[in-house]
Amino acid sequence: MPSVIEPKLISGNANLPLAKAIARRMSLYRGMSVGLVDARVERFNDAEIFVEVFENVRGEDMFVIQPTSNPANDNLMELLVMADALRRSSAARITAVIPYFGYARQDRRTKARTPITAKLVANMIASSGIERVLTMDLHAAQIQGFFDIPVDNLYASPIFALDIQSQLKGQLDDVMVVSPDVGGVARARELAKRIGAPLAIVDKRREKPGEIAEMTVIGDVAGKQCFIVDDICDTAGTLCKAAEVLKDHGATEVHAYITHGVMSGPAVERITNSVMKSLVITDSIECSDAARAAPNIRVLPTAPMFAQAILNIWNGTSVSSLFETETLGPIYEGIL
């Protein structure tokens, strides 16, 4: 078998702009051109997915960039079919780069006779020939344990911390980090620790899914610039309601930092008309035109982090080093 010379990237249709951005960053880091492997990922008339790789990948270290965002089933199937094509083409190793892991919210049985779909998807990915997964901000930490292959879970909080420090330029005295629910406290605490800010919680109670009966603020947010931190913004109902409650409790400004901007249905309209001064999301999911045009929505790039993580995996060096500001800061210098 020939020795592996360079990591090779291939992308499905879920987020081509991110895949191209990762390739550009890798080119910058390596001082040589890194492009996407020439391939076609198409659909037949009956919507069956077909993949053809036009370059030799025998013995190569392949990285498949494909978030499983909306449409989740199509994008997941593209990932599996690409992995099968690469495995049958004798690729040495296949790593799935999944910036947004779909079905992550189905990580446990919430009531009788319901599935744990995140585990099912993990089984499908492992059985397709994928040997490693690189993702960002899994909805639940235990999903890493659903896989029987190595999983590297990156975190957006270091990027958020760098952006907040850049935006406020050291004026962090009145900042308060807010978790929009009890389940997200660990994520919010991590960001609060990085920027040296106190932590508050918005405790929500639901009568039934999709409806919020009551919200209570735990912590004194009066006179504070509040930064809500969460992993997913879907319809934005909870987020906008939490912003209103914080303003009612005396917050001077409300901002939100969300890793994955799913932005379903009326989300963009709600955010545009909300009391939030800004919503910051990453490009783990391709941003819609409406979201990009919204005056109070901003997108942070994840390509620098993913490019470095891919190179670290290829080199066999630490991925967790990217959790540290000292390591990540130079990578984002001049970007944020």
Side-chain angles (χ1 to χ4, degrees):
M1 180 180 291
S3 61
V4 177
I5 300 174
E6 295 293 332
K8 287 197 172 182
L9 309 180
I10 187 170
S11 176
N13 295 314
N15 197 342
L16 270 172
L18 176 58
K20 292 176 180 177
I22 291 173
R24 287 195 298 271
R25 296 302 301 187
M26 287 181 64
S27 299
L28 179 64
Y29 298 158
R30 306 244 339 123
M32 58 190 301
S33 178
V34 177
L36 299 177
V37 168
D38 188 16
R40 62 173 176 143
V41 183
E42 299 177 348
R43 283 164 178 74
F44 292 133
N45 292 333
D46 62 353
E48 284 186 6
I49 294 168
F50 175 74
V51 172
E52 184 177 6
V53 181
F54 297 118
E55 296 181 25
N56 179 30
V57 297
R58 184 180 297 274
E60 300 289 358
D61 197 357
M62 300 299 304
F63 293 84
V64 186
I65 304 170
Q66 178 78 345
T68 52
S69 50
N70 184 35
N73 296 335
D74 288 354
N75 289 331
L76 174 61
M77 198 63 194
E78 275 190 16
L79 173 63
L80 300 178
V81 174
M82 283 190 291
D84 187 72
L86 294 171
R87 180 173 60 85
R88 295 177 187 278
S89 302
S90 302
R93 182 176 66 170
I94 304 169
T95 300
V97 181
I98 311 175
Y100 170 70
F101 183 77
Y103 284 108
R105 285 174 281 183
Q106 297 185 48
D107 62 308
R108 63 192 182 281
R109 298 188 70 187
T110 55
K111 57 183 70 175
R113 296 176 296 280
T114 57
I116 305 178
T117 316
K119 171 58 176 169
L120 172 63
V121 172
N123 290 345
M124 293 168 65
I125 288 173
S127 63
S128 69
I130 291 169
E131 298 173 53
R132 191 179 198 96
V133 170
L134 174 63
T135 187
M136 173 174 278
D137 271 351
L138 286 170
H139 183 65
Q142 68 264 23
I143 294 175
Q144 283 186 278
F146 291 177
F147 288 87
D148 295 325
I149 55 177
V151 177
D152 291 304
N153 184 30
L154 302 177
Y155 299 100
S157 59
I159 307 174
F160 291 164
L162 289 171
D163 187 70
I164 291 171
Q165 290 165 346
S166 174
Q167 293 293 317
L168 299 182
K169 300 189 185 303
Q171 300 175 356
L172 299 172
D173 294 340
D174 297 328
V175 168
M176 174 78 79
V177 175
V178 180
S179 173
D181 53 45
V182 175
V185 169
R187 183 180 296 106
R189 185 185 293 118
E190 173 66 19
L191 179 61
K193 181 179 178 181
R194 287 179 180 275
I195 64 175
L199 177 66
I201 304 168
V202 176
D203 181 31
K204 63 184 178 185
R205 299 182 182 181
R206 297 179 187 270
E207 293 294 332
K208 58 183 179 180
E211 293 187 7
I212 301 169
E214 181 184 357
M215 280 189 166
T216 305
V217 178
I218 304 173
D220 184 11
V221 299
K224 299 288 188 180
Q225 294 186 65
C226 290
F227 288 81
I228 302 173
V229 184
D230 208 356
D231 64 323
I232 296 173
C233 176
D234 195 341
T235 60
T238 300
L239 184 63
C240 293
K241 179 64 176 175
E244 291 176 8
V245 171
L246 291 169
K247 289 288 284 187
D248 291 343
H249 281 71
T252 57
E253 293 180 359
V254 179
H255 306 263
Y257 277 77
I258 311 293
T259 307
H260 307 298
V262 176
M263 313 294 270
S264 303
V268 174
E269 182 181 356
R270 282 176 174 171
I271 292 163
T272 303
N273 298 326
S274 74
V275 299
M276 277 188 298
K277 188 170 183 180
S278 69
L279 167 66
V280 181
I281 58 177
T282 75
D283 58 357
S284 62
I285 299 172
E286 186 172 4
C287 194
S288 66
D289 292 338
R292 289 190 182 278
N296 58 344
I297 297 178
R298 190 159 54 90
V299 182
L300 294 181
T302 58
M305 176 182 274
F306 274 109
Q308 189 62 59
I310 289 171
L311 289 173
N312 287 7
I313 291 171
W314 171 65
N315 284 319
T317 55
S318 171
V319 173
S320 62
S321 63
L322 295 175
F323 304 162
E324 303 300 327
T325 303
E326 293 77 10
T327 307
L328 200 63
I331 295 175
Y332 274 88
E333 189 172 354
I335 298 175
L336 300 178

